């Protein structure tokens, strides 16, 4: 793959500081001095028309007066001048601009107009821009310190991206005494020109970056943010702290779901989908940064605590319980070994209180036996400086032991003066250490959670069976009909019809407009029945006396009709009433009342929620949220994270519910929100589930008009499975094949396909002698982000099972303009036109994404592939890096 297009932003060959100054009490003076002091080896040009020389270097009157090319312009002039400065840089061919100046949209409408002009001028010349109103960028490895911070930073493996410049300076100041280094520090400011997605893309490929910290105040482009986040999180740890956790999500919600879900719930759900760990405070982020910088890698979350003071051990155990960290249970063998070397008065359990007079030798025995226990994933060692304690001697013992074990050790040396030398020793040895127990436990929990998330991402689901195809067209017509009548709230009958179109079991219902009609329908359904008010203005029917349950005879039905109308007219006189809904009473003695639904987040789009249902849904507040599209694993996780999940298993006299039916409904809802972007809110409450299945008893859907878009999934933060790319095709001999996008469930047939390739075919495809795909490669090839890559497979169905015959794929470059492709067809299926068909389908998919150029590499000895790509219109040339490889390129647009 070619070098990332942002490489010159972080490692520029030349930098112009526009607004540089010799006054060290000015921003321009500090920035230029930082550039001089940081060891930058490229060409540095101070630009200021009022000075001939700045801090010892000749100054230039303007960017136009610099004869040599400039990669990066750092702009520190007044806000009013910035649009013209950016335009001058664009004309001059500057690739990147870093606008530190303030005075833009944060100041009001006039500043916002200036900001729009800056962005427009940059786009006109294809210039990438960070800012405005930012601290700048610092990259120790390249000697770039284009910030107005007080000094620089040590080189290391951490990258920090922040929307707050003040946060950057704080963490830089904290990092120095804690010996933490950075690959880059990026202050985004207003993020008007470049957002998190592009920066994360670069950091994924940056060899200097091992892990990433994010400070976020808001996300502007959810799709690119999620796409980049998910891609990076597979290969590098990411920890996030977000300000504004208690912002209100939907102030005008028309459904239970909308009232229950706030924007912070959705942000958490987004991070969960990305495999990212969120921390709550800046202190916790600092702690995570410290652990990451020391290559802290736990394998689980079972923690043992060794302490010479009972109180700190209890505090640590309490915090572990708060965070869901498991206190390790020591084996009988470990307890016996500890009893042999510890005083009789030790705690005989975890936490291990080894008594206040503990020596370094006693610590060594206790910690070693814990680390050797298979039931322990990590050890927190706590020391309080008591009169007989030797803190540095114990610290050196722990440091020596850390190198002998793979399991992580965390140190908590409490106090200050007596333990300062110990902390310095831990820092030099790369062992995370803390002043108090709570942050030590927190950092263990956060980083354990990250590695647990990675294990979950590596799972490969089993094959899925075919299921009833939903009637998307019928559902769409129902929605369009309501919108044509200028209605956004669908009736219960319409809402249930849409659920039925997606094969969700419903309680049948009929609208009646007189007591006699009610009786007629009740007799048809059979008693008992339920009667409910039918009104577009009433969300909570029970609040206005609009529901009658378990009506068992004709008199009760006729009386209920009048009672409901009178009650509603009295309690909500302005409500429009369109008759009464009659439906069979769903009698499920073992049924549990649940609620599921959809709401729309302003940033992340549709969100699915699930939890306890019934009339107390908002009081109980028992719900989880997840971003669609969902799969079986995500649905199971969503259910298990609710409190009511415990009641879904065998409970007292009730059998366990039909979990397959419940999971199917959540998957169907996921299909619904992917296919029907008009849906803004939806409630199914109650959804009654028992051992025999599930039934949507009541439903309400809110829809809205759509903004036209060429992207059918523009409403979603995560691109769902692109079913529209599925095609049926025949070989010349009549053999029917399916060409479709790959999916995670294809892991088994993908592995079988690669195993079945000849050694030559494997070498031509992978340029390596691998025998089969590793687990990480298998996940990478089947769990793809359809927004930035595509893999199409040709499959043959035989005996109700699919066999993969060929696969082609592209991965888009970060700028979205070009992509790299690969193709391989099973040996026995070559020369039948499969490769040609796959590639033409891949061309169409790439064009639909706006990709203009497709590139690839083919071994010069792979003659059949070179002949194929030649017929497909590729141009071939000898690779500059390896003469045995042909670089092939095709223009798509």
């Amino acid at each position: 793959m070619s070098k990332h297009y942002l490489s010159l932003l972080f490692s520029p060959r030349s930098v112009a500081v526009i607004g540089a100054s010799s006054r060290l009490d000015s921003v321009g003076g500090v920035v230029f001095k930082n550039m001089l002091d940081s060891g930058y080896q490229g060409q540095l040009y101070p630009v200021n028309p009022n000075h001939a020389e700045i801090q010892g270097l000749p100054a230039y009157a303007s960017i136009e007066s610099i004869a040599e090319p400039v990669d990066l312009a750092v702009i520190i002039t007044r806000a009013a001048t910035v649009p013209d400065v950016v335009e001058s840089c664009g004309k001059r061919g500057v690739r990147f601009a870093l606008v530190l100046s303030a005075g833009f949209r944060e100041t009001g409408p006039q500043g916002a107009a200036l900001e729009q002009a800056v962005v427009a001028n940059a786009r006109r010349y294809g210039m990438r821009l960070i800012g405005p109103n930012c601290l700048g960028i610092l990259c120790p490895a390249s000697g770039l310190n284009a910030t107005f911070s007080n000094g620089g930073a040590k080189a290391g493996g951490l990258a920090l991206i922040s929307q707050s410049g003040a946060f950057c300076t704080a963490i830089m100041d904290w990092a120095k005494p804690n010996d933490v280094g950075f690959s880059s520090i990026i202050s985004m400011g207003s993020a008007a020109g470049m957002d998190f997605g592009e920066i994360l893309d670069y950091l994924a490929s940056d060899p200097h970056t091992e892990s990433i910290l994010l400070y976020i105040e808001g996300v502007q482009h959810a799709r690119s943010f999620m796409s980049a986040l998910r891609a990076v999180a597979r290969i590098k740890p990411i920890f996030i702290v977000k300000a504004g956790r208690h912002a209100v999500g939907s102030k005008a919600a028309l459904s239970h779901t909308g009232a229950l879900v706030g924007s912070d719930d959705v942000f958490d759900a987004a991070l969960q989908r990305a495999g990212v760990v969120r921390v709550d405070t800046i202190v916790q982020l600092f702690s995570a940064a410290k652990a990451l910088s020391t290559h802290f890698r736990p394998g689980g979350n079972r923690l043992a605590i060794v302490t010479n003071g009972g109180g700190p051990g209890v505090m640590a155990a309490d915090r572990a319980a708060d965070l869901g960290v498991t206190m390790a249970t020591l084996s009988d063998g470990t307890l016996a070994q500890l009893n042999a070397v510890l005083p009789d008065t030790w705690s005989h359990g975890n936490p291990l209180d080894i008594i206040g007079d503990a020596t370094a030798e006693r610590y060594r025995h206790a910690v070693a036996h814990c680390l050797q226990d298979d039931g322990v994933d990590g050890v927190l060692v706590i020391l309080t400086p008591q009169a007989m304690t030797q803190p540095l001697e114990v610290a050196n013992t722990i440091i020596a032991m850390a190198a002998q074990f793979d399991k992580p050790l965390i140190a908590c040396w409490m106090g200050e003066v007596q333990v300062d030398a110990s902390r310095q020793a831990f820092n030099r040895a790369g062992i995370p250490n803390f002043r108090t127990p709570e942050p030590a436990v927190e950092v263990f929990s956060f980083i354990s959670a990250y590695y647990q998330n990675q294990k979950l991402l590596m799972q490969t689901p089993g094959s899925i069976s075919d299921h009833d195809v939903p009637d998307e067209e019928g559902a769409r017509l129902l929605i369009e009909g309501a919108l044509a009548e200028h209605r956004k709230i669908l009736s219960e009958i319409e809402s249930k019809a849409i659920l039925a179109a997606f094969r969700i079991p419903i309680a049948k219902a009929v609208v009646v407009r007189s007591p006699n009609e009610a009786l007629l329908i009740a007799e048809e359904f059979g008693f008992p029945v339920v009667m409910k008010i039918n009104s577009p203005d009433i969300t909570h029917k029970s609040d206005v006396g609009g529901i009658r349950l378990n009506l068992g005879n004709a008199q009760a039905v006729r009386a209920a009709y009048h009672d409901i109308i009178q009650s509603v007219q009295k309690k909500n006189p302005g409500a429009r009433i369109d008759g009464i809904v009659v439906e069979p009473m769903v009698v499920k003695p073992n049924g549990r009342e649940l609620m599921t639904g959809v709401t729309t987040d302003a940033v992340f789009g549709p969100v699915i929620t699930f939890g306890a249902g019934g009339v107390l849904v908002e009081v109980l507040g028992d719900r989880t949220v997840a971003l669609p599209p969902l799969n079986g694993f995500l649905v199971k996780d969503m259910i298990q994270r609710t409190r009511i999940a415990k009641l879904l298993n065998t409970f007292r006299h009730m059998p366990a519910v039909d979990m397959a039916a419940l999971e199917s409904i959540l998957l169907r809802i996921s299909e619904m929100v992917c296919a029907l972007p008009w849906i803004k809110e939806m409630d199914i409450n109650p959804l009654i589930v028992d051992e025999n299945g599930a039934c949507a008893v009541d439903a309400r859907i809110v829809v809205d008009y759509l903004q036209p878009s060429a992207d059918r999934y523009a409403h979603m933060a995560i691109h769902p499975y692109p079913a529209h790319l599925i095609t049926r095709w025949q070989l010349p001999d009549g053999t029917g094949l399916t060409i479709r996008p790959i999916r995670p469930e294809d892991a088994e047939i993908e592995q079988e396909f690669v195993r079945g390739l000849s050694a030559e075919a494997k070498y031509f495809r992978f340029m390596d002698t691998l025998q089969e795909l590793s687990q990480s490669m298998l996940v990478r090839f089947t769990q793809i982000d359809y927004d930035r890559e595509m893999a199409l497979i040709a499959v043959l169905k035989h005996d109700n099972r699919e066999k993969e015959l060929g696969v082609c794929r592209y991965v888009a470059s970060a700028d979205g303009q070009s992509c790299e492709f690969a193709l391989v067809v099973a040996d026995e299926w070559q020369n039948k036109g499969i490769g040609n068909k796959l590639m033409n389908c891949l061309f169409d998919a790439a064009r639909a994404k706006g990709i203009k150029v497709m590139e690839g590499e083919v071994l010069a000895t792979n003659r059949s592939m070179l002949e194929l790509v030649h017929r497909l219109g590729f141009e071939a040339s000898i690779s500059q890096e390896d003469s045995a490889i042909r670089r092939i390129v095709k223009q798509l647009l």
Side-chain angles (χ1 to χ4, degrees), residues 512 514-520 522-523 527-532 547-565 580-582:
V512 298
S514 73
N516 285 336
E517 286 186 16
L519 178 56
L520 180 66
E523 292 285 1
F527 296 103
V529 296
V530 176
M531 296 175 65
K532 298 180 285 189
I547 298 180
R548 297 292 185 274
L549 304 174
N550 206 27
L551 302 172
N553 56 57
Q555 290 182 341
V557 168
R558 295 178 69 166
Y561 189 96
H562 290 292
D563 291 345
I564 291 173
I565 297 292
I580 300 287
V581 175
V582 180

Side-chain angles (χ1 to χ4, degrees), residues 538-595:
I538 297 173
T539 298
H540 309 310
K541 301 177 181 70
S542 59
D543 291 351
V544 294
I547 298 180
R548 297 292 185 274
L549 304 174
N550 206 27
L551 302 172
N553 56 57
Q555 290 182 341
V557 168
R558 295 178 69 166
Y561 189 96
H562 290 292
D563 291 345
I564 291 173
I565 297 292
Q566 290 174 2
S567 177
V568 171
Q569 288 176 338
K570 181 179 179 180
K571 294 182 178 180
N572 193 343
R576 292 168 292 171
I577 297 175
D578 184 21
I580 300 287
V581 175
V582 180
E583 60 187 49
M585 179 75 186
V586 178
V587 180
K588 289 180 178 286
N590 298 322
R592 281 73 146 182
E593 289 194 347
L594 307 175
M595 185 275 290

Side-chain angles (χ1 to χ4, degrees), residues 270-422:
L271 296 190
Q272 183 190 28
R273 286 302 303 272
V276 173
V277 176
R278 180 179 183 180
V279 298
D280 294 327
T281 67
I282 291 176
V283 171
Q284 292 170 351
L285 192 67
F286 283 7
S287 299
K290 179 185 290 188
L292 289 171
S293 69
T294 55
H295 305 285
F296 183 47
R297 302 290 188 269
N301 79 332
R302 297 169 300 177
L303 180 66
I305 300 169
V306 177
T307 176
N308 69 343
V314 173
M315 293 169 64
D318 284 345
R319 190 62 182 134
D322 292 340
L323 297 170
V325 171
T326 301
M327 292 296 293
T329 300
L330 302 178
S331 69
D332 292 341
T334 298
L335 290 171
Q337 291 172 324
L338 291 169
N339 285 330
V341 294
L342 296 180
D344 293 340
T345 52
W346 82 282
S347 60
H348 298 280
N350 184 20
L352 290 76
D353 181 358
I354 59 175
I355 313 305
D357 63 350
T359 62
E361 186 68 7
R362 192 182 299 171
Y363 267 100
R364 185 179 68 80
H365 284 303
V367 173
H369 288 310
C370 285
L371 289 171
Q372 291 165 355
D373 192 314
D374 291 337
V376 174
D377 297 314
V379 178
L380 166 59
V381 187
I382 302 174
L383 179 143
T384 59
Q386 302 181 32
M388 63 291 291
T389 308
Q390 299 295 324
L392 184 58
E393 183 181 353
V394 176
N396 287 331
T397 298
I398 298 302
I399 291 168
M401 292 178 62
Q404 302 171 23
F405 294 92
D406 293 331
K407 297 177 183 178
L409 273 173
I410 313 171
C412 172
W413 260 227
M414 302 180 71
E416 196 62 46
V417 176
Q418 297 182 56
V419 298
D420 182 64
S422 301

Side-chain angles (χ1 to χ4, degrees), residues 67-131:
E68 300 299 320
V70 174
D71 289 332
L72 172 64
V74 183
I75 301 172
I76 324 167
T77 62
R78 290 181 298 106
T81 67
V82 173
D84 290 339
V85 171
V86 168
E87 176 142 16
S88 297
C89 290
K91 290 179 178 178
R92 181 66 182 76
V94 176
R95 298 275 302 278
F96 301 98
L98 185 59
V99 182
L100 277 58
S101 311
F104 294 91
R105 72 166 177 252
E106 75 276 7
T107 65
Q110 185 175 356
L114 277 176
E115 186 172 298
Q116 291 173 3
V118 169
V119 173
N121 289 348
R123 285 177 179 166
R124 187 178 305 117
Y125 296 99
M127 183 166 55
R128 309 302 296 132
L129 180 146
I130 286 185

Side-chain angles (χ1 to χ4, degrees), residues 583-666:
E583 60 187 49
M585 179 75 186
V586 178
V587 180
K588 289 180 178 286
N590 298 322
R592 281 73 146 182
E593 289 194 347
L594 307 175
M595 185 275 290
T596 183
V598 176
T599 188
T600 299
D601 182 75
V603 175
F604 291 100
V607 181
I608 298 173
T609 185
F610 169 80
V615 295
L616 298 178
V617 57
E618 290 171 5
V619 176
L620 296 175
D622 177 29
R623 83 284 181 272
T624 54
V625 298
L627 267 63
L630 302 180
N631 60 27
F633 173 79
L634 293 168
V635 163
K636 287 182 174 68
D637 177 70
M638 194 177 183
I639 294 170
Q640 292 305 314
R641 285 187 289 119
T642 59
R643 295 193 298 274
I644 202 170
K646 296 177 182 178
L647 303 181
L648 302 180
N649 298 314
T650 302
F651 177 70
R652 292 185 179 176
H653 64 281
M654 293 190 293
V657 305
D658 184 346
M659 290 298 292
L662 175 57
E663 292 166 8
S664 174
I665 286 176
L666 291 172

Side-chain angles (χ1 to χ4, degrees), residues 416-497:
E416 196 62 46
V417 176
Q418 297 182 56
V419 298
D420 182 64
S422 301
R423 289 203 188 103
Q424 293 181 32
F426 283 130
N427 285 338
R428 289 191 297 270
I431 294 177
N433 61 97
F434 301 89
R435 286 175 165 77
T436 56
E438 293 86 354
V441 177
E442 287 169 357
V443 77
F444 180 81
S445 75
F446 295 141
I447 303 191
S448 293
Y450 170 76
Y451 286 97
Q452 181 63 23
N453 286 348
Q454 295 309 293
K455 289 182 180 179
L456 297 178
L457 286 172
M458 295 292 282
Q459 291 190 1
T460 52
S463 178
I464 60 173
S465 59
D466 292 335
H467 57 267
D468 290 339
V469 177
D471 181 9
E472 293 184 17
E473 179 69 10
R476 181 180 62 81
L477 290 174
L478 282 168
I479 293 172
E480 290 179 347
L483 291 173
E485 297 173 5
H486 306 289
R487 292 187 295 114
K488 295 185 179 181
I489 302 175
L490 304 187
S491 69
E492 180 178 344
I493 303 297
E494 291 169 323
S495 298
K496 284 185 174 179

Side-chain angles (χ1 to χ4, degrees), residues 779-799:
V779 169
R780 178 68 190 85
F781 285 169
T782 58
Q783 298 186 23
I784 68 173
D785 182 346
Y786 300 111
D787 193 48
R788 61 173 59 202
E789 58 187 311
M790 183 56 64
L792 298 175
I793 58 175
V795 294
L796 173 68
K797 196 162 188 177
H798 181 66
D799 292 337

